[in-house]
Every structure is written in C-alpha cells, then in structure tokens.
Amino acid sequence: MLNRIIIMGRLTRDPELRRTQSGTAVTSFSLAVERDFRSQSGEKETDFIDVVAWRSTAEFVNKYFSKGRTAVVEGRLQIREWTDQEGRKRRSAEVVADNIYFGDSKRENSDNVSPYYSDYGPPPQRGGRESSPSSEFSGRASGGVSAPRGGYHNPSDFSDMGEDGELPF
C-alpha cells in the first residue's frame, strides 16, 4: 500500500506550536494550494489543506515559516474521525508532514537556513539528481537556484560563478 502526498502552497496563517503532555512538539497550519486547471467559470480554484508536523520538524516550521510563505510538504494523508458537541460523527483529512521545504526563492528567504528539514535526516540522494521536491514541482532547486528538470547538472557548467565559488545572486 502507498500513502504519499506532496503539496505546495502558501501558509494561510502562522503555524501554532504546541506540546503534548509528554513534551513532544507539534505544529499545525493550513496551505492554500491552487489547482492546475480552471473551473468552468474560468477561475482558478484553491484548496485549503490542513497540515500537522511533529517533533523537530514542527519546531523548524514554527521558527522559519509564517503566513504567506510558500512551503512544499511531503507526507501522508490521514483521516481523523471524531464526534462533535451535538453527537454527530465527523471526519477530516490532514497531511502529516515527513519533510518540509521552502517553496520560495532564497532572495525572499533571508533566514539563511537549509531549505529542507525532516525528522528523518538529510534529504535522500537519488542517483545524483536533485532531491528537492521544490525543484521537481516549482522549477527551482532548494534555495531558489534554477535547476535542470532532467537530472544532474555538472557544477562546472556554471559559467557565472565567481572565483570564490559563490553564485552571483
């Protein structure tokens, strides 16, 4: 069975960091995700998707993300069931985040932090290809550098690099 989801959107509100009774950090936020197609009326529709992150990922989100910031979330879909105050059974869907990436460019990200965070360690390497979902889904590599969609890009091909090895932006 497979339950993987990757979404990219803007935070609709600031993340709310809380702690469980045992002290585990948890944060929740909502992403506004535009659909790739237009409705019959010609307008783009937006879905508002609830996201929850745990432990150090929750602390990372709370520290570096705020309302309006673009985020790429990789995780699993979870359906929760509960009974409301009137005794009716309710259901809701949310994404439980495993990995969170900055979805906007480094120019907008003055925090100077890694564009990737996960409770499971560094991003997985996939045969030398870009491993950031933000590069696969937004045309940007982690941190806002334009990335080739076809795979590995030889660093020596960067003719704009200065002598100190810094990129010109």
Side-chain angles (χ1 to χ4, degrees), residues 4-7 29 51-53 57 60-61 71-76 95-102 115-124 126 131 133:
R4 297 302 304 160
I5 186 167
I6 299 173
I7 57 174
F29 56 95
V51 179
V52 62
T57 304
F60 172 80
V61 169
V72 178
V73 175
E74 179 182 18
R76 64 182 167 85
V95 175
V96 179
D98 291 329
N99 304 312
I100 297 182
Y101 307 80
F102 289 111
Y116 167 90
Y117 198 85
S118 168
D119 281 332
Y120 303 107
R126 297 182 181 129
S131 60

Side-chain angles (χ1 to χ4, degrees), residues 104-122:
D104 41 18
S105 73
K106 190 167 186 141
R107 289 183 196 124
E108 295 170 312
N109 171 16
S110 60
D111 300 322
N112 198 22
V113 295
S114 170
Y116 167 90
Y117 198 85
S118 168
D119 281 332
Y120 303 107

Side-chain angles (χ1 to χ4, degrees), residues 6-9 32-40 42-47 49 136-139 149:
I6 299 173
I7 57 174
M8 178 175 168
V33 179
E34 279 190 352
R35 295 183 183 175
D36 289 339
F37 54 89
R38 297 188 184 276
S39 67
Q40 289 181 344
E43 295 183 26
K44 279 212 168 198
E45 293 184 5
T46 302
D47 293 305
I49 301 171
E136 295 171 29
F137 295 101
S138 71
R149 289 193 178 265

Side-chain angles (χ1 to χ4, degrees), residues 2-77:
L2 180 65
N3 182 357
R4 297 302 304 160
I5 186 167
I6 299 173
I7 57 174
M8 178 175 168
R10 293 195 180 273
L11 275 72
T12 62
R13 57 183 158 79
D14 289 338
E16 303 168 13
L17 183 68
R18 299 177 311 277
R19 301 234 177 234
T20 64
Q21 289 181 348
S22 63
T24 304
V26 59
T27 190
S28 57
F29 56 95
S30 189
L31 284 184
V33 179
E34 279 190 352
R35 295 183 183 175
D36 289 339
F37 54 89
R38 297 188 184 276
S39 67
Q40 289 181 344
S41 65
E43 295 183 26
K44 279 212 168 198
E45 293 184 5
T46 302
D47 293 305
F48 297 90
I49 301 171
D50 293 327
V51 179
V52 62
W54 293 88
R55 298 173 193 77
S56 54
T57 304
E59 292 170 351
F60 172 80
V61 169
N62 188 64
K63 184 173 182 181
Y64 295 108
F65 285 86
S66 58
K67 180 179 177 178
R69 190 79 195 258
T70 302
V72 178
V73 175
E74 179 182 18
R76 64 182 167 85
L77 187 61

